[in-house]
Amino acid sequence: MKYTVIIPAAGLGTRMGLGFNKVLLEINGEPVIKHTVRHFEEDPDCEAIHLAVRREETAVMKELFSDSDKVSGIHAGGAERQDSIYNALINVRDADYIFVHDGARPFLTNDVLSRLKRKVKETGAAICGVKTKDTLKRVVDGKVKETLRRDEVIAVHTPQAFDCSLLKQAYEHARQNKLEVTDDSMMVEALGKEVYLVESTYDNIKITTSEDLQLAHMILKGK
């Protein structure tokens, strides 16, 4: 199977107290975004890579990937994550499947990617995630309303993978209905479509805080 991947990378890193994009932080001598993109550059099933970045960092990103044969587009991000992905999505042509993967999630494994490819080819909509290790409770105004069943809850990761026409339909539906979502599968779910799960790994972290950055260095040391 062949696919195109969209990588949203337009964050500012505010939770880390940065004045620049967290994907430009270096781990093991390279920016986080280079580690992330390499997974797809090295996958023969990936035909094209589209990045959605902060407008003021466009030149930096173009320089970082000037030698990449697969980075086909670097697009200006939007106000929200879904806006950034949409700005890239409308520029994707002739793709059978679209994968979406966080720019700040550099530890994707080939095994997870392979499982996701098989499942999206079979079903048309697939995500990856891990079982939560903690007890989860729903809290409203500081009060516990219920304890969730741990065997029915997962922590969702990326990549998420979809039939191209389905994802485009889901994005148009979300824009027309002004849906605010936190991941792409929510838009597909809003269409009444089924989304299927494959297992991710606990190392497939999204670097969001300073603690995540420390963990990233530890993961690299263990490889």
Side-chain angles (χ1 to χ4, degrees), residues 16-33:
M16 297 181 73
L18 300 176
F20 60 92
N21 197 329
K22 62 193 173 187
V23 301
L24 296 176
L25 284 168
E26 290 194 355
I27 52 175
N28 206 28
E30 279 191 319
V32 168
I33 191 64

Side-chain angles (χ1 to χ4, degrees), residues 127 129-136 146-156 197:
I127 63 174
V130 293
K131 294 179 180 179
T132 178
K133 298 178 181 180
D134 301 312
T135 296
L136 298 179
E146 65 174 318
T147 301
L148 304 178
R149 288 190 54 173
R150 193 160 52 184
D151 60 347
E152 294 181 349
V153 177
I154 63 159
V156 176
L197 174 72

Side-chain angles (χ1 to χ4, degrees), residues 73-106:
I74 296 179
H75 314 282
E80 303 294 338
R81 181 183 186 275
Q82 66 197 82
D83 301 316
S84 296
I85 296 171
Y86 181 80
N87 290 349
L89 184 62
I90 59 177
N91 287 282
V92 174
R93 303 286 185 268
D94 302 322
D96 292 328
Y97 300 97
I98 302 288
F99 286 39
V100 181
H101 186 61
D102 299 322
R105 205 179 285 271

Side-chain angles (χ1 to χ4, degrees), residues 7-217:
I7 300 178
L12 184 56
T14 51
R15 276 183 279 185
M16 297 181 73
L18 300 176
F20 60 92
N21 197 329
K22 62 193 173 187
V23 301
L24 296 176
L25 284 168
E26 290 194 355
I27 52 175
N28 206 28
E30 279 191 319
V32 168
I33 191 64
K34 290 283 283 187
H35 291 272
T36 301
V37 168
R38 185 173 294 116
H39 294 294
F40 301 100
E41 288 178 320
E42 294 178 351
D43 181 8
D45 289 331
C46 179
E47 294 185 302
I49 301 167
H50 288 260
L51 302 174
V53 307
R54 296 180 69 218
R55 189 180 300 275
E56 55 268 42
E57 292 170 348
T58 302
V60 173
M61 293 294 187
K62 286 183 176 179
E63 177 63 26
L64 278 176
F65 297 105
S66 60
D67 60 348
S68 175
D69 294 331
K70 286 192 179 179
V71 174
S72 303
I74 296 179
H75 314 282
E80 303 294 338
R81 181 183 186 275
Q82 66 197 82
D83 301 316
S84 296
I85 296 171
Y86 181 80
N87 290 349
L89 184 62
I90 59 177
N91 287 282
V92 174
R93 303 286 185 268
D94 302 322
D96 292 328
Y97 300 97
I98 302 288
F99 286 39
V100 181
H101 186 61
D102 299 322
R105 205 179 285 271
F107 299 120
L108 174 65
T109 66
N110 289 334
D111 285 345
V112 173
L113 191 54
S114 294
R115 286 194 287 271
L116 201 63
K117 287 189 287 188
R118 288 194 297 269
K119 185 60 70 172
V120 73
K121 189 175 180 180
E122 174 190 338
T123 66
I127 63 174
C128 63
V130 293
K131 294 179 180 179
T132 178
K133 298 178 181 180
D134 301 312
T135 296
L136 298 179
K137 297 180 183 289
R138 188 171 68 87
V139 178
V140 178
D141 296 329
K143 295 180 181 179
V144 174
K145 295 297 183 181
E146 65 174 318
T147 301
L148 304 178
R149 288 190 54 173
R150 193 160 52 184
D151 60 347
E152 294 181 349
V153 177
I154 63 159
V156 176
H157 293 171
T158 64
Q160 298 188 355
F162 308 94
D163 177 90
C164 180
S165 61
L166 174 59
L167 186 61
K168 288 189 174 184
Q169 180 187 356
Y171 261 86
E172 292 300 337
H173 177 262
R175 290 174 70 83
Q176 291 169 10
N177 292 277
K178 296 181 171 55
L179 300 181
E180 294 183 6
V181 302
T182 55
D183 76 347
D184 303 279
S185 71
M186 288 179 67
M187 298 185 195
V188 175
E189 293 162 35
L191 289 177
K193 304 295 184 180
E194 292 182 325
V195 178
Y196 293 82
L197 174 72
V198 300
E199 185 179 0
S200 185
T201 66
Y202 289 100
D203 282 351
N204 188 18
I205 63 170
K206 183 178 181 182
I207 298 175
T208 303
T209 66
S210 298
E211 290 77 14
D212 294 331
L213 187 60
Q214 294 173 14
L215 180 56
H217 286 291

